[in-house]
Amino acid sequence: MAIDKQTVNRIAFLSRLKIDEDKTEDTQDEFNKILNWVEQLAEVNTDNVEPLSSVNDNPLVCREDKVVEGEQADKILANAPVEEYGYFVVPKVVE
């Protein structure tokens, strides 16, 4: 799969990135290099390889789940630029 300039512009729009027109071709080349590398990874034989949940063999340290501090919503919301009905108000980011 090759990336064309139209796809680069679409990805830039969706990720809210500004790519200058003179950099579009360089970005296209970089995307194609990344996709070629991923295709090379797909060729690796992993039939006899056990899946990993972590690269470390160390077990996770578990602790008792208990509330140590609570009922501080008013203090937390005091830092909010805009607050409504006990929640932070943030600008819409998804169209």
Side-chain angles (χ1 to χ4, degrees):
M1 176 182 181
I3 300 288
D4 57 3
K5 288 184 181 181
Q6 181 182 3
T7 306
V8 170
N9 290 330
R10 179 76 175 144
I11 293 170
F13 172 77
L14 291 173
S15 58
R16 305 295 193 258
L17 296 174
K18 180 183 177 187
I19 299 176
D20 296 330
E21 191 63 38
D22 59 331
K23 300 287 184 186
T24 303
E25 193 167 320
D26 292 337
T27 306
Q28 177 184 347
D29 292 339
E30 287 296 317
F31 283 166
N32 283 320
K33 286 179 187 176
I34 292 168
L35 288 177
N36 288 335
W37 182 72
V38 170
E39 287 175 2
Q40 286 179 352
L41 287 177
E43 295 173 3
V44 175
N45 182 2
T46 59
D47 290 341
N48 296 323
V49 178
E50 291 246 353
L52 292 175
S53 59
S54 174
V55 294
N56 298 325
D57 288 334
N58 300 335
L60 293 175
V61 178
C62 296
R63 60 174 170 74
E64 183 180 346
D65 190 16
K66 63 180 180 178
V67 176
V68 291
E69 292 183 33
E71 304 298 327
Q72 296 186 8
D74 293 335
K75 290 181 183 178
I76 294 169
L77 289 171
N79 295 319
V82 181
E83 174 264 332
E84 189 173 298
Y85 306 114
Y87 296 96
F88 288 93
V89 176
V90 296
K92 182 178 177 181
V93 294
V94 178
E95 295 178 17

